[in-house]
PDB file of all heavy atoms in Angstrom:
ATOM      1  N   ILE A  58      14.861  11.804  -4.843  1.00  0.00           N
ATOM      2  CA  ILE A  58      14.108  12.160  -6.049  1.00  0.00           C
ATOM      3  C   ILE A  58      15.031  11.970  -7.225  1.00  0.00           C
ATOM      4  O   ILE A  58      16.138  12.520  -7.271  1.00  0.00           O
ATOM      5  CB  ILE A  58      13.605  13.619  -6.004  1.00  0.00           C
ATOM      6  CG1 ILE A  58      12.620  13.787  -4.842  1.00  0.00           C
ATOM      7  CG2 ILE A  58      12.930  13.988  -7.302  1.00  0.00           C
ATOM      8  CD1 ILE A  58      12.147  15.196  -4.648  1.00  0.00           C
ATOM      9  N   LYS A  64      14.700  20.678 -17.836  1.00  0.00           N
ATOM     10  CA  LYS A  64      14.585  21.858 -16.952  1.00  0.00           C
ATOM     11  C   LYS A  64      14.997  21.525 -15.523  1.00  0.00           C
ATOM     12  O   LYS A  64      15.679  22.339 -14.868  1.00  0.00           O
ATOM     13  CB  LYS A  64      13.138  22.336 -16.943  1.00  0.00           C
ATOM     14  CG  LYS A  64      12.746  23.223 -18.127  1.00  0.00           C
ATOM     15  CD  LYS A  64      11.381  23.816 -17.929  1.00  0.00           C
ATOM     16  CE  LYS A  64      11.013  24.769 -19.062  1.00  0.00           C
ATOM     17  NZ  LYS A  64       9.693  25.389 -18.874  1.00  0.00           N
ATOM     18  N   LYS A  67      18.747  21.321 -15.232  1.00  0.00           N
ATOM     19  CA  LYS A  67      19.332  22.669 -15.273  1.00  0.00           C
ATOM     20  C   LYS A  67      19.214  23.346 -13.897  1.00  0.00           C
ATOM     21  O   LYS A  67      20.113  24.044 -13.436  1.00  0.00           O
ATOM     22  CB  LYS A  67      18.660  23.542 -16.335  1.00  0.00           C
ATOM     23  CG  LYS A  67      19.054  23.136 -17.767  1.00  0.00           C
ATOM     24  CD  LYS A  67      18.348  24.009 -18.771  1.00  0.00           C
ATOM     25  CE  LYS A  67      18.788  23.591 -20.213  1.00  0.00           C
ATOM     26  NZ  LYS A  67      18.066  24.438 -21.227  1.00  0.00           N
ATOM     27  N   LEU A  97       0.943  23.663 -12.753  1.00  0.00           N
ATOM     28  CA  LEU A  97       1.442  23.315 -11.439  1.00  0.00           C
ATOM     29  C   LEU A  97       0.460  23.739 -10.368  1.00  0.00           C
ATOM     30  O   LEU A  97      -0.252  24.750 -10.518  1.00  0.00           O
ATOM     31  CB  LEU A  97       2.782  23.960 -11.172  1.00  0.00           C
ATOM     32  CG  LEU A  97       3.906  23.672 -12.165  1.00  0.00           C
ATOM     33  CD1 LEU A  97       5.176  24.459 -11.779  1.00  0.00           C
ATOM     34  CD2 LEU A  97       4.197  22.191 -12.218  1.00  0.00           C
ATOM     35  N   GLU A 157      -7.194  13.604  22.386  1.00  0.00           N
ATOM     36  CA  GLU A 157      -7.945  13.275  21.157  1.00  0.00           C
ATOM     37  C   GLU A 157      -6.979  13.150  19.983  1.00  0.00           C
ATOM     38  O   GLU A 157      -7.021  12.196  19.192  1.00  0.00           O
ATOM     39  CB  GLU A 157      -8.979  14.325  20.868  1.00  0.00           C
ATOM     40  CG  GLU A 157      -9.822  14.022  19.630  1.00  0.00           C
ATOM     41  CD  GLU A 157     -10.829  15.099  19.331  1.00  0.00           C
ATOM     42  OE1 GLU A 157     -10.959  16.058  20.130  1.00  0.00           O
ATOM     43  OE2 GLU A 157     -11.480  15.011  18.279  1.00  0.00           O
ATOM     44  N   ALA A 160      -4.895  10.056  20.307  1.00  0.00           N
ATOM     45  CA  ALA A 160      -5.682   8.873  19.934  1.00  0.00           C
ATOM     46  C   ALA A 160      -5.779   8.720  18.425  1.00  0.00           C
ATOM     47  O   ALA A 160      -5.690   7.611  17.896  1.00  0.00           O
ATOM     48  CB  ALA A 160      -7.079   8.986  20.556  1.00  0.00           C
ATOM     49  N   ASN A 178       4.848  -9.461   4.231  1.00  0.00           N
ATOM     50  CA  ASN A 178       5.796  -9.426   5.374  1.00  0.00           C
ATOM     51  C   ASN A 178       6.651  -8.170   5.292  1.00  0.00           C
ATOM     52  O   ASN A 178       7.679  -8.148   4.614  1.00  0.00           O
ATOM     53  CB  ASN A 178       6.671 -10.683   5.331  1.00  0.00           C
ATOM     54  CG  ASN A 178       5.891 -11.964   5.533  1.00  0.00           C
ATOM     55  OD1 ASN A 178       4.985 -11.994   6.371  1.00  0.00           O
ATOM     56  ND2 ASN A 178       6.214 -12.984   4.776  1.00  0.00           N
ATOM     57  N   GLN A 256      -3.973 -25.077 -10.927  1.00  0.00           N
ATOM     58  CA  GLN A 256      -2.604 -25.474 -11.230  1.00  0.00           C
ATOM     59  C   GLN A 256      -2.347 -26.919 -10.804  1.00  0.00           C
ATOM     60  O   GLN A 256      -1.662 -27.655 -11.521  1.00  0.00           O
ATOM     61  CB  GLN A 256      -1.637 -24.555 -10.491  1.00  0.00           C
ATOM     62  CG  GLN A 256      -1.563 -23.134 -11.089  1.00  0.00           C
ATOM     63  CD  GLN A 256      -0.798 -22.162 -10.202  1.00  0.00           C
ATOM     64  OE1 GLN A 256      -0.417 -22.504  -9.092  1.00  0.00           O
ATOM     65  NE2 GLN A 256      -0.570 -20.973 -10.725  1.00  0.00           N
ATOM     66  N   LYS A 257      -2.970 -27.289  -9.664  1.00  0.00           N
ATOM     67  CA  LYS A 257      -2.801 -28.661  -9.207  1.00  0.00           C
ATOM     68  C   LYS A 257      -3.413 -29.661 -10.206  1.00  0.00           C
ATOM     69  O   LYS A 257      -2.828 -30.638 -10.574  1.00  0.00           O
ATOM     70  CB  LYS A 257      -3.463 -28.822  -7.840  1.00  0.00           C
ATOM     71  CG  LYS A 257      -3.329 -30.218  -7.244  1.00  0.00           C
ATOM     72  CD  LYS A 257      -4.028 -30.269  -5.863  1.00  0.00           C
ATOM     73  CE  LYS A 257      -3.953 -31.679  -5.279  1.00  0.00           C
ATOM     74  NZ  LYS A 257      -4.653 -31.773  -3.982  1.00  0.00           N
ATOM     75  N   ASN A 340     -33.244 -61.673 -50.855  1.00  0.00           N
ATOM     76  CA  ASN A 340     -33.125 -62.828 -51.768  1.00  0.00           C
ATOM     77  C   ASN A 340     -34.422 -62.982 -52.506  1.00  0.00           C
ATOM     78  O   ASN A 340     -35.463 -63.307 -51.915  1.00  0.00           O
ATOM     79  CB  ASN A 340     -32.807 -64.081 -50.935  1.00  0.00           C
ATOM     80  CG  ASN A 340     -32.621 -65.323 -51.811  1.00  0.00           C
ATOM     81  OD1 ASN A 340     -32.699 -65.229 -53.035  1.00  0.00           O
ATOM     82  ND2 ASN A 340     -32.355 -66.447 -51.193  1.00  0.00           N
ATOM     83  N   MET A 357     -50.194 -73.015 -42.337  1.00  0.00           N
ATOM     84  CA  MET A 357     -50.071 -71.557 -42.414  1.00  0.00           C
ATOM     85  C   MET A 357     -49.985 -71.059 -43.854  1.00  0.00           C
ATOM     86  O   MET A 357     -49.189 -70.216 -44.165  1.00  0.00           O
ATOM     87  CB  MET A 357     -48.831 -71.064 -41.643  1.00  0.00           C
ATOM     88  CG  MET A 357     -48.888 -71.354 -40.155  1.00  0.00           C
ATOM     89  SD  MET A 357     -47.540 -70.511 -39.312  1.00  0.00           S
ATOM     90  CE  MET A 357     -47.812 -71.020 -37.635  1.00  0.00           C
ATOM     91  N   ARG A 363     -48.779 -64.645 -48.294  1.00  0.00           N
ATOM     92  CA  ARG A 363     -48.577 -63.182 -48.156  1.00  0.00           C
ATOM     93  C   ARG A 363     -47.105 -62.820 -48.230  1.00  0.00           C
ATOM     94  O   ARG A 363     -46.728 -61.779 -48.845  1.00  0.00           O
ATOM     95  CB  ARG A 363     -49.173 -62.716 -46.824  1.00  0.00           C
ATOM     96  CG  ARG A 363     -49.069 -61.211 -46.593  1.00  0.00           C
ATOM     97  CD  ARG A 363     -49.898 -60.468 -47.608  1.00  0.00           C
ATOM     98  NE  ARG A 363     -49.718 -59.022 -47.513  1.00  0.00           N
ATOM     99  CZ  ARG A 363     -48.724 -58.367 -48.106  1.00  0.00           C
ATOM    100  NH1 ARG A 363     -47.835 -58.990 -48.863  1.00  0.00           N
ATOM    101  NH2 ARG A 363     -48.629 -57.044 -48.002  1.00  0.00           N
ATOM    102  N   ILE A 365     -44.687 -64.478 -49.773  1.00  0.00           N
ATOM    103  CA  ILE A 365     -44.211 -64.702 -51.151  1.00  0.00           C
ATOM    104  C   ILE A 365     -44.676 -63.532 -52.061  1.00  0.00           C
ATOM    105  O   ILE A 365     -43.955 -63.040 -52.925  1.00  0.00           O
ATOM    106  CB  ILE A 365     -44.711 -66.042 -51.720  1.00  0.00           C
ATOM    107  CG1 ILE A 365     -44.137 -67.205 -50.871  1.00  0.00           C
ATOM    108  CG2 ILE A 365     -44.308 -66.216 -53.166  1.00  0.00           C
ATOM    109  CD1 ILE A 365     -42.618 -67.277 -50.867  1.00  0.00           C
ATOM    110  N   VAL A 449     -36.310 -58.083 -40.203  1.00  0.00           N
ATOM    111  CA  VAL A 449     -37.661 -58.548 -39.837  1.00  0.00           C
ATOM    112  C   VAL A 449     -37.801 -58.350 -38.348  1.00  0.00           C
ATOM    113  O   VAL A 449     -37.024 -58.962 -37.574  1.00  0.00           O
ATOM    114  CB  VAL A 449     -37.847 -60.007 -40.236  1.00  0.00           C
ATOM    115  CG1 VAL A 449     -39.190 -60.529 -39.719  1.00  0.00           C
ATOM    116  CG2 VAL A 449     -37.799 -60.159 -41.732  1.00  0.00           C
ATOM    117  N   SER A 461     -50.080 -47.030 -17.935  1.00  0.00           N
ATOM    118  CA  SER A 461     -50.013 -46.577 -16.558  1.00  0.00           C
ATOM    119  C   SER A 461     -49.812 -45.068 -16.580  1.00  0.00           C
ATOM    120  O   SER A 461     -49.940 -44.436 -17.595  1.00  0.00           O
ATOM    121  CB  SER A 461     -48.890 -47.285 -15.814  1.00  0.00           C
ATOM    122  OG  SER A 461     -47.636 -46.852 -16.306  1.00  0.00           O
ATOM    123  N   PHE A 498     -42.264 -55.213 -40.023  1.00  0.00           N
ATOM    124  CA  PHE A 498     -42.785 -55.506 -38.688  1.00  0.00           C
ATOM    125  C   PHE A 498     -43.796 -56.619 -38.749  1.00  0.00           C
ATOM    126  O   PHE A 498     -44.701 -56.622 -39.593  1.00  0.00           O
ATOM    127  CB  PHE A 498     -43.445 -54.257 -38.109  1.00  0.00           C
ATOM    128  CG  PHE A 498     -42.469 -53.180 -37.678  1.00  0.00           C
ATOM    129  CD1 PHE A 498     -42.241 -52.072 -38.486  1.00  0.00           C
ATOM    130  CD2 PHE A 498     -41.762 -53.297 -36.502  1.00  0.00           C
ATOM    131  CE1 PHE A 498     -41.363 -51.075 -38.108  1.00  0.00           C
ATOM    132  CE2 PHE A 498     -40.870 -52.321 -36.105  1.00  0.00           C
ATOM    133  CZ  PHE A 498     -40.678 -51.203 -36.919  1.00  0.00           C
ATOM    134  N   TYR A 608     -44.895 -94.084 -20.290  1.00  0.00           N
ATOM    135  CA  TYR A 608     -44.042 -92.884 -20.283  1.00  0.00           C
ATOM    136  C   TYR A 608     -44.750 -91.596 -19.870  1.00  0.00           C
ATOM    137  O   TYR A 608     -44.143 -90.683 -19.366  1.00  0.00           O
ATOM    138  CB  TYR A 608     -43.412 -92.691 -21.673  1.00  0.00           C
ATOM    139  CG  TYR A 608     -42.348 -93.762 -21.970  1.00  0.00           C
ATOM    140  CD1 TYR A 608     -42.712 -94.957 -22.577  1.00  0.00           C
ATOM    141  CD2 TYR A 608     -41.020 -93.569 -21.627  1.00  0.00           C
ATOM    142  CE1 TYR A 608     -41.773 -95.943 -22.839  1.00  0.00           C
ATOM    143  CE2 TYR A 608     -40.052 -94.540 -21.887  1.00  0.00           C
ATOM    144  CZ  TYR A 608     -40.427 -95.703 -22.480  1.00  0.00           C
ATOM    145  OH  TYR A 608     -39.475 -96.680 -22.747  1.00  0.00           O
ATOM    146  N   SER A 668     -78.726 -64.630 -24.155  1.00  0.00           N
ATOM    147  CA  SER A 668     -79.117 -65.552 -25.244  1.00  0.00           C
ATOM    148  C   SER A 668     -80.184 -66.550 -24.745  1.00  0.00           C
ATOM    149  O   SER A 668     -81.136 -66.869 -25.481  1.00  0.00           O
ATOM    150  CB  SER A 668     -77.882 -66.288 -25.756  1.00  0.00           C
ATOM    151  OG  SER A 668     -76.965 -65.415 -26.351  1.00  0.00           O
ATOM    152  N   LEU A 671     -83.464 -64.736 -24.511  1.00  0.00           N
ATOM    153  CA  LEU A 671     -83.999 -64.546 -25.858  1.00  0.00           C
ATOM    154  C   LEU A 671     -84.649 -65.819 -26.371  1.00  0.00           C
ATOM    155  O   LEU A 671     -85.729 -65.817 -26.985  1.00  0.00           O
ATOM    156  CB  LEU A 671     -82.886 -64.099 -26.798  1.00  0.00           C
ATOM    157  CG  LEU A 671     -82.474 -62.644 -26.831  1.00  0.00           C
ATOM    158  CD1 LEU A 671     -81.237 -62.450 -27.691  1.00  0.00           C
ATOM    159  CD2 LEU A 671     -83.628 -61.812 -27.375  1.00  0.00           C
ATOM    160  N   LEU A 722     -87.205 -79.789 -25.751  1.00  0.00           N
ATOM    161  CA  LEU A 722     -87.718 -80.102 -24.413  1.00  0.00           C
ATOM    162  C   LEU A 722     -89.246 -80.004 -24.408  1.00  0.00           C
ATOM    163  O   LEU A 722     -89.920 -80.894 -23.881  1.00  0.00           O
ATOM    164  CB  LEU A 722     -87.096 -79.138 -23.411  1.00  0.00           C
ATOM    165  CG  LEU A 722     -87.587 -79.274 -21.970  1.00  0.00           C
ATOM    166  CD1 LEU A 722     -87.172 -80.618 -21.372  1.00  0.00           C
ATOM    167  CD2 LEU A 722     -87.053 -78.139 -21.129  1.00  0.00           C
TER     168      LEU A 722
END
Side-chain angles (χ1 to χ4, degrees):
I58 297 174
K64 277 188 178 182
K67 288 179 179 180
L97 303 178
E157 182 182 355
N178 296 318
Q256 288 170 353
K257 181 180 178 182
N340 182 1
M357 297 189 181
R363 182 65 187 86
I365 298 301
V449 173
S461 69
F498 287 101
Y608 289 89
S668 295
L671 279 173
L722 176 67

